[in-house]
Each structure stands twice: as C-alpha cells, then as structure tokens.
C-alpha cells in the first residue's frame, strides 16, 4: 500500500502503482481536501463569478450559470471534453495517471469532495481501468481529453476494463478484456458512481497527469536502459579488444560532468581484470573508435539529460496543477496557469534526445562487431560466412530503429497552436512529447538488445579467452536464454528475449552491483 499525501510521491512508487500496487490517501491530506471543499461550497452559494464553479469554461468563462444548473455544468464538462481518438493508453499508463491525479487532489487545492477522491482510489485498487484514447490533448488547461475520458467512469459513463488481480498485483494483458460501460465496470468491482458537485468535473480534468505518467514511466525505462547500455558497451569493447585507458578517472575529472564520470567508473569496474583485455595490452593500437572511446561522454550526456527529466518529474508529480486553485487558509479561489504542460513537454523531449544518444552509439558498436574490417572477428559473427549470414540483419534492424528514433527526437515542445477560441493561445504539446518518449524507450531498448546479442557472440568467438567476472556473468545470463549462434536462425526472437531481460533488470542484476 502506497500512501499519497500530495507531496512525496516518488518515481519508484509510481512504477509500482502502475504495475498493480494499491494506494491510499493520508489522513492529513484528507483534512486538506475537506477544508478546500468547504471553500468551494461557500463560493457555489454566492452570486459573484468564480471560474468553473458558476461560469462556463474556456471562451465561455464570462457566461454565468444558474445555481440550479451547477451540477449539470460539471457533467457536461466531462462529456463534451471526452473527445480523444486513437489507440487507448496502456494499462500501466492509465494506472499511473489515476495515481498522479489522486495525488494532486490530495494536495488540497482542487476543491474535490472526499467521496469523489475515494472512488478514484477505489477504482485503481479494484482494477477498474478507464479506456483513455491516447490522442487529443495539446497539454494546456491540462490534458483535458484524456482526463475527461478517465473521469467519465466515476459518474458511470465512458468505458473501462477490469484487471484480474494476481497475487495482489494487477495483471494487465496486452489485448485486455472487452471494455465495459463505466457503470457496468464499477458494479462488477462493487462500486457506485458519484454525482458531481460544483467544480468537481473541473477538478478531475485540470492537470498534466497523463503527460506526466508517460514521462515518469518512460523515464524509469530510460534510466534502466542507461545502465544496460553501459554493460553492452563494456561487453562490446572487450569483444572488439578495445582499451580501458580512456576510462581513467583523471580524464573525466578534468571535464567534471556528473554523468560522464559515472559511466567511466562503470566501464572501469566492468572491464577490470579482463583476460581478453590483458591479452591485447601491447597490441600497438593507439586509439579506439569514438563509439568505444567516447562511451562515457555520450552515455554520460544521456544520463545528465535523464537526471534533469527526473527533477522535473519529482516536482510535477507532487504539484498542484488545477485552475482555479482553492486556498483554504485564506478562503480564496484564484485563477492561474499551473495546468500548462511546458515543463513536462521539454523534459520528455530531452528524454528522447538522451535515448537517441544511447541508441546511435550502440548501433555503431554493433556495426563494428559485425564488420570484420573493424572487429578482427569473422564477418557478421558467423564461422560459416557466405553459406550463412550470421547477425548481418540484426545490425540492419538496429540501423532502422535508430533512424526511427531520430524522427522521434524532433521536439514536440517547439510547437504550439491556439485553441478554445484563441483563449488558450499558447499550448505545450506535452502529451505528444510524452507519447514520443514512451515509444522511444522501446525502440532504444531493442537497439541495445541487438548490441548485447552481437557482443555476446563476439565473446564466444574469442574463446578460450574470457572477459571480466561481471561481464562473463552477463554473458552466462544471456546464454541461459539465447544460445550461441552456430547456424543461422531468425534473430528476432533472440532480440526480443534480450530486450525483455533489459526491461526486467536481469541484465544489470547479472553484474552483481557493478553498475550505477
């Protein structure tokens, strides 16, 4: 059970929630929620205009709503704003979105009722997962369309699926069950819809939570991939009989980038006492290619980009992104712009740039491994070249994936387009940036998996020499699931297996703590 208090949700906790951990709201947060709701109830009784409580929305902000229509106003808001299209967001992303929205509501600036917040939490805990189309948000006034689709389920509308809990954790399926109506899904989970009170529809859809969920889960995957990329680089460098001298600490201290020094230290630990390295210590090669020698500089740049994205996530996951904001201490309701997704958009774009750095240099090392002119190994890492093609097409796949990644690196955050009658005249495109980052992680993971596939084959071809202890542990972990390539076979299943090993953490665990 992970407790949401509106101020301390971490990335690790969000990942756990995305994959099935239960949530609750802390007692102090519940008190804050109740206090802000009392302020909203007071304003709802007044005749003075208060945006989203007794006025219309967006370009209708000057339209006054009669008191007897305030509840209908909130329902109409959800219905009209549920305009999303495209494939549904994956279940982990929706679960993360639900947790992030509950965490924002728990801050006490939204004016939500406790019973509405409690239903959102209960839906997450009982596996009621709204069907949320992935396209339709420009990331300003929040991710309005995705959150509206999510919020409709709370009032018994929209669509949802029911996750089957296994051993206390959700078990999202790739195909998933057929969607139910919101009312049917709630009923099957033993829950009842809520009737919205003034401001509650607005409180449920103002915010960047779908964009932030995509950023957070992509970030977790990117950070994990960065560690696997260091391992792949080290295995490739040994397979290519490269030098460890460029990774000495004096070189990296002289430049003082945090990520660069961290990667150099990782490579040094991974390659320490390698018999392969010892065997070519006096080979006479003066300098290795950039893809080997500059691994700390390139991987380190990605690490530093991810670190910035992590700082943005930590802030945004625990930020109030509502409009208007309810200040219970001064009994004020104030309009602002915290819903604007610019920080998330730029961070997600930066995440894509870092992933491209990891993937493009990984593909270059894979190319060197299969090219006999640069590797000194049999062409395409097969002993039967000509009759067999070995890993020729595995490298081609890596090239294709890196080229696709380059298209995803074009920033979404540089775009803006006016909406809502030009009232919302500058938007962030944070949802587009988050979707790109989510896709980029998967592509980059497969590129690094191909490098590991090629590097493991190179180590086999250098027998009886072996690599260092931690790298041989990685080699054995791979070989337990992907046999040495003796005769041509489709590389696709092997790539998929190694990509899954990266995603599960099996690759880095094999090093027994040698990679940070």
């Amino acid at each position: 059970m992970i407790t949401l208090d509106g101020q301390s949700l971490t990335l690790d906790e969000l990942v756990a929630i995305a994959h099935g951990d239960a949530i609750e709201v802390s007692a102090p947060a519940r008190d804050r929620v109740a206090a802000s709701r009392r302020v909203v109830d007071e304003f709802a009784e007044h005749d003075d205009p208060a945006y989203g409580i007794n006025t219309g929305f967006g370009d209708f902000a000057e339209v006054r709503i009669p008191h007897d229509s305030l509840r209908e106003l909130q329902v109409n808001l959800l219905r009209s704003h549920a305009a999303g299209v495209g494939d549904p967001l994956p279940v982990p992303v929706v679960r993360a979105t639900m947790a992030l929205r509950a965490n924002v509501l728990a801050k006490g600036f939204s004016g939500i009722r406790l019973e509405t917040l409690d239903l959102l939490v209960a839906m997450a805990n009982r596996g009621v997962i709204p069907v949320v189309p992935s396209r339709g948000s420009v990331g300003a006034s929040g991710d309005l369309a995705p959150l509206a689709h999510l919020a409709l389920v709370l009032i018994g509308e929209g669509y949802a699926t029911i996750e089957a809990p296994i051993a206390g954790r959700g078990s999202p399926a790739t195909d998933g069950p057929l969607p139910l109506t919101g009312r049917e899904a709630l009923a099957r989970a033993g829950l009842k819809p809520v009737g919205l009170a003034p401001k509650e529809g607005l409180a449920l859809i103002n915010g960047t939570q779908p964009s932030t969920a995509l950023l957070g889960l992509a970030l977790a995957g990117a950070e994990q991939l960065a560690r696997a990329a260091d391992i792949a680089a080290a295995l490739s460098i040994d397979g290519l009989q490269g030098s460890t001298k460029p990774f000495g600490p004096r070189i990296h201290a002289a430049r003082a980038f945090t990520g660069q020094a961290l990667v150099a230290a990782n490579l040094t630990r991974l390659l320490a006492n390698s018999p392969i390295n010892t065997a070519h210590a006096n080979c006479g090669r003066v300098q290795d290619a950039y893809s080997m020698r500059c691994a700390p500089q390139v991987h380190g740049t990605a690490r530093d980009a991810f670190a910035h994205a992590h700082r943005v996530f930590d802030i945004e996951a625990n930020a109030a992104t509502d409009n208007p904001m309810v200040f219970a201490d001064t009994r004020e309701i104030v309009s602002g712009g915290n819903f604007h997704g610019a920080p998330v958009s730029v961070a997600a774009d930066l995440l894509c740039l870092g992933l491209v750095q990891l993937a493009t240099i990984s593909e270059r090392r894979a190319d060197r491994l299969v090219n006999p002119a640069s590797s000194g190994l049999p062409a395409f890492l097969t002993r039967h070249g000509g009759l067999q093609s070995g890993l020729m097409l595995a490298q081609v796949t890596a090239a294709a994936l890196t080229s696709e990644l380059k298209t995803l690196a074009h920033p979404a955050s540089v775009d803006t387009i006016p909406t809502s009658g030009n009232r919302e005249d500058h938007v962030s495109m944070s949802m587009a940036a988050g979707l790109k980052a989510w896709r980029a992680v998967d592509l980059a993971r497969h590129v690094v998996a191909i490098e590991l596939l090629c590097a493991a084959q190179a180590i086999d071809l250098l027998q009886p020499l072996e690599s260092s202890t931690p790298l041989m542990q990685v080699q054995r972990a791979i070989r337990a699931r992907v046999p040495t390539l003796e005769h041509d076979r489709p590389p696709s299943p092997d790539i998929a297996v190694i990509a899954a090993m990266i995603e599960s953490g099996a690759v880095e665990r094999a090093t027994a703590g040698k990679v940070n």
Side-chain angles (χ1 to χ4, degrees), residues 31-245:
D31 291 340
R32 292 194 298 271
V33 170
S36 70
R37 183 63 213 177
R38 287 192 290 270
V39 176
V40 171
D41 287 338
E42 290 178 12
F43 272 76
E45 296 299 322
H46 296 166
D47 291 329
D48 294 338
Y51 177 74
I53 297 176
N54 55 16
T55 74
F57 307 100
D59 207 37
F60 292 133
E62 277 70 46
V63 177
R64 293 293 300 278
I65 307 299
H67 188 272
D68 60 2
S69 298
L70 297 187
R71 291 177 180 269
E72 182 183 0
L73 173 70
Q74 302 302 313
V75 173
N76 287 343
L77 175 69
L78 300 190
R79 289 172 177 166
S80 64
H81 283 51
V85 300
D87 293 336
L89 292 173
V91 167
V93 176
V94 178
R95 285 188 57 85
T97 299
M98 296 168 77
L100 287 165
R101 192 65 211 156
N103 195 52
V104 170
L105 296 172
K107 290 188 74 67
F109 293 105
S110 305
I112 199 86
R113 291 177 301 163
L114 279 169
E115 63 189 271
T116 307
L117 174 55
D118 286 341
L119 179 57
L120 178 60
V121 169
M123 283 168 50
N125 289 343
R126 299 191 192 185
V128 179
I129 307 301
V131 176
V132 179
S134 56
R135 267 69 183 180
S137 173
V138 296
S141 280
D143 294 318
L144 295 173
L147 285 171
H149 282 278
L150 189 156
L152 276 175
V153 179
L154 278 83
I155 63 172
E157 299 185 16
Y159 295 92
T161 59
I162 303 288
E163 277 188 87
I166 298 177
R169 298 177 67 87
S171 178
T174 52
D175 295 330
L178 291 174
L180 307 167
T181 66
R183 187 172 297 275
E184 289 172 326
L186 291 173
R188 291 198 188 186
L191 300 171
K192 295 181 179 179
V194 295
L196 295 180
K199 195 185 180 299
E200 286 200 298
L202 193 58
L204 289 167
I205 69 171
N206 250 171
T208 64
Q209 287 67 54
S211 299
T212 306
L214 286 162
L215 170 66
L217 298 183
L219 173 61
E223 291 179 339
Q224 182 182 63
L225 183 61
R227 296 187 290 273
D230 288 357
I231 296 165
L235 201 64
S236 293
I237 288 165
D238 234 16
L240 292 165
Q241 302 178 71
S243 174
T244 60
K245 290 180 181 178

